[in-house]
Amino acid sequence: MRPLEGQVALVAGATRGAGRAIACSLGEAGATVYCTGRSVRGRPATGQRPETIEETAERVTAAGGHGVAVQVDHTVEEQVEALCAQIRREQGRLDVLVNDVWGGDELTEFGQPFWRLSLPRGKLLLERAVTSHIITSRHAVPIMLERDRGLLVEVTDGDSFGYRGNLFYDLAKMSVIRLAFAMAWELRRHPAMTALAITPGFLRSEAMLEGFGVTEENWRDAVAKDPHFIASETPFYVGRAVAALAADPDVAARSGRVFSSWDLAREYGFTDVDGRQPHWGEHFARTIGPYNKADAAAYASWRNGPMDLACPDWPKE
């Protein structure tokens, strides 16, 4: 029942939300999980949010794994390099890398057209949400390559080409999907190395629950404010999805594509913590509909088909 026993994972951006739940789910499967982020006890990095990486690591251990908290700003290469050196020194391996760093909530200006957006805020958002993923992969993947196997997961928002409501937000979330594809292509000669992207649905994160003025116990009360909340899911839904992917011996067949918590739940047979299997994709299609049917069809064909590796080889060194 602990398929990841003996494996080592790094969840970059594990302070709260999906990152915390992914770390805990990997721990529940038996993994040693390095939980990184900027917020530590006594020094919150995101406003006055109370969550810390120490608390996440403790929850990983309580779930059955071994949690290790390391304060890291993933936009600072020296800190990421030191983290990876620590993992190599202490563990000698890395099996799973989850890039979940975001840090863009306070920077996203929803409701503003792109010609009115703050460029400094947008540039900082992209540095936090995209550049940080590149920096982390740059230094973590070489540890995986030492054993020539591993799973790299990019956490995004949405598995469609639909516009996400803000230029910089949309660019960040689509960019990490493209990162998964690009890294999968460059890793194509390493058949046991897998890079993919994953999205949760309408996430009942700590901040979302607080924003609606509800708790996990009475979350349905928020449906009166937003009827789409009925199809929401806890962060553990995508956490269990990542754990299922990490335990799948055939996960390499998924390399280069984007997957959703709701589709993987039906495929692997797991449920959310309340026993439900919410399906945001079906709810969206039924209540909101695709932005553009032609784009949706083209995207579905790409997402569900094999990754196209029919590209010229790299020049020989």
Side-chain angles (χ1 to χ4, degrees), residues 82 89 157 169 216 244 275 279 287 294:
R89 182 176 64 252
D157 178 12
Y169 184 93
E216 186 55 37
H279 198 289
T287 62

Side-chain angles (χ1 to χ4, degrees), residues 221-246:
D221 292 347
V223 175
K225 298 180 180 179
D226 186 340
H228 300 302
F229 207 53
I230 194 63
S232 65
E233 62 194 59
T234 78
F236 283 91
Y237 206 38
V238 73
R240 291 178 173 181
V242 172
L245 289 167

Side-chain angles (χ1 to χ4, degrees), residues 33-36 40 53-58 67-71 86:
V33 186
Y34 283 75
C35 310
T36 66
V40 295
I53 55 171
E54 294 97 335
E55 185 181 38
T56 299
E58 290 164 1
V68 183
V70 185
Q71 184 183 30
Q86 178 182 345

